[in-house]
Structures are given as C-alpha cells and as structure tokens.
C-alpha cells in the first residue's frame, strides 16, 4: 500500500495482517478469529470494520490497484510540471512500482492466487484500474522509445511487471542484497528489458 509517515489506523492494521495471512495460507485457510488475533481484537470485533473476509479481500485488491494508478498519475504530473526528460519519467514509474514490489509482496501473492474470488464487479474494477495503469506506462515507454510500436510497448510493460512482481519468490534468506541493492538491481533489469524491446 502507499507509504505512510503517520501511524496506521486499526482498519489498515487489519488489512495488512489479512494480506499477510491470506498470502501465507490462502484465503480459505484463514479464519476471521486469526486475523483478529493478529491485531489484538476479537474475531467478531472485526465486523465493526469489515463485513467479512470477502470485503477485506476486495478492499486489498481494489485498493492496491487504485494506489498504483494514483501514484503513477502523480509521478507523471510532477514530471510534466518539472519538464523532465522521458528517461527520467520512465525511471520514476519504475521506482514507484519497485517500492510496491518490495514493500507489499503479500499483495502480489494475493492477486495471483485470489483475484478470481472477488465479486464480478470488484474483479472488473481491478482489471479496469490495471489497464489504465498499463496504458500510462505504455505512453511513457513510447515517449522514450518512439520507434517501439504500441503492441510491442504493451508487451514490454507486462514483461517488466512480471519481472518486478517476482519479489515474493525471492524470499530465501541471503537470496537478495539489501533493499537498496535489490531496488537498484530491479531497476537496472527493467530498464534493460525496455532497451532490449526497443532494439528488436
């Protein structure tokens, strides 16, 4: 989720623990009582914040899609206002997604495993938000690499998302450098992937 400097609300604490538990054990492998215990309240107490597990899952998956899109729009707006070069614009988008990929790994796992459990309306909303997010990237990539066709740029964007979103699989102790080193590595690989797509 978005980085915060103030203390998380109880609702945010519940969502964070729900995401962690759902990612570890699967949606059906976690009970409301376990989520409540993780944040120090009774299971029934959760119903003051959410109607149930389905509502938590929907808020997690819709919420992260909204957060990514909002963050990308903000970065693009700031870049446009500052008049920065297309390379710096793409770098900013990559940095924003890397922050998500490193800080919200349970949500990546949750999306991969549990998206189909959402109600149709929520699942369609997630897909709509994701398509908008992809198109922002496609525009940024093509401004840097104008000879890259739109379909090729879109394929490259999805490929880079696959690369950046691989972080949940890289959790073995010692398998990665520290956070800064990992972020730098992912950024270099993402830029390399876009450059390779432009050369093909």
């Amino acid at each position: 989720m978005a980085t915060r400097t103030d203390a998380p609300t109880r609702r945010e604490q519940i969502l964070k623990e729900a995401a962690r538990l759902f990612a570890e054990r699967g949606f059906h492998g976690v009970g409301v009582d376990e989520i409540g215990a993780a944040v120090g309240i009774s299971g029934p107490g959760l119903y003051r914040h959410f109607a149930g597990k389905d509502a938590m899952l929907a808020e997690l998956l819709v919420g992260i899609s909204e957060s990514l899109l909002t963050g990308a729009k903000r970065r693009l707006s700031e870049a446009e206002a500052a008049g920065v070069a297309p390379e710096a614009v793409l770098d900013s988008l990559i940095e924003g997604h890397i922050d998500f990929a490193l800080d919200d790994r349970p949500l990546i796992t949750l999306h991969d495993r549990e998206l189909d459990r959402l109600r149709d309306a929520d699942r369609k909303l997630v897909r709509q938000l994701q398509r908008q997010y992809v198109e922002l990237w496609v525009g940024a990539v093509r401004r840097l690499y104008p000879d890259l066709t739109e379909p090729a740029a879109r394929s490259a964007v999805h490929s880079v998302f696959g690369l950046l979103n691989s972080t949940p699989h890289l959790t073995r102790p010692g398998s990665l450098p520290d956070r800064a080193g990992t972020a730098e590595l992912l950024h270099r690989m993402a830029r390399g992937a876009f450059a390779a797509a432009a050369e093909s």
Side-chain angles (χ1 to χ4, degrees):
M1 311 294 276
T3 300
R4 297 175 58 96
T5 55
D6 51 334
T9 65
R10 177 50 60 93
R11 187 180 180 88
E12 289 167 337
Q13 291 172 343
I14 292 169
L15 286 173
K16 180 178 180 180
E17 289 304 316
R20 180 182 65 81
L21 291 167
F22 291 159
E24 288 177 358
R25 304 183 205 168
F27 181 74
H28 287 306
V30 178
V32 171
D33 288 342
E34 292 174 272
I35 299 171
V39 294
I41 61 177
S42 67
L46 288 180
Y47 292 107
R48 291 197 299 271
H49 302 277
F50 297 96
K53 289 198 309 178
D54 289 338
M56 293 179 209
L57 181 64
E59 185 155 337
L60 284 164
L61 295 182
V62 172
I64 193 56
S65 296
E66 288 176 336
S67 179
L68 285 169
L69 179 60
T70 299
K73 286 180 176 179
R74 175 182 52 77
R75 287 171 178 270
L76 290 173
S77 177
E78 291 172 353
E80 182 179 350
V84 301
E87 183 175 12
V89 174
L90 184 57
D91 281 338
S92 181
L93 288 177
I94 292 171
E95 288 165 6
H97 198 97
I98 287 173
D99 284 343
F100 157 67
L102 292 178
D103 297 338
D104 290 306
R105 297 182 196 189
L107 289 176
I108 297 174
T109 301
L110 203 56
H111 178 276
D112 289 346
R113 293 180 184 169
E114 312 290 359
L115 181 63
D116 289 343
R117 299 192 190 282
L118 294 183
R119 295 180 309 162
D120 285 347
D122 290 326
R123 187 169 60 253
K124 287 177 181 177
L125 177 56
V126 169
R127 293 299 193 195
Q128 178 185 12
L129 293 166
Q130 290 174 339
R131 283 194 295 271
Q132 293 178 52
Y133 183 61
V134 167
E135 293 312 308
L136 292 180
W137 278 68
V138 169
V141 169
R142 295 193 72 209
R143 281 190 289 276
L144 181 57
Y145 301 109
D147 293 335
L148 197 60
T149 67
E150 187 171 309
R154 191 171 291 108
S155 294
V157 167
H158 282 291
S159 297
V160 166
F161 287 170
L163 165 69
L164 299 181
N165 291 347
S166 68
T167 52
H169 306 291
L170 307 175
T171 55
R172 183 170 55 84
S175 63
L176 290 173
D178 60 17
R179 191 191 188 286
T182 301
E184 181 182 354
L185 173 63
L186 290 172
H187 197 126
R188 195 164 61 245
M189 293 174 71
R191 284 298 304 273
F194 286 129
E199 291 171 2
S200 61

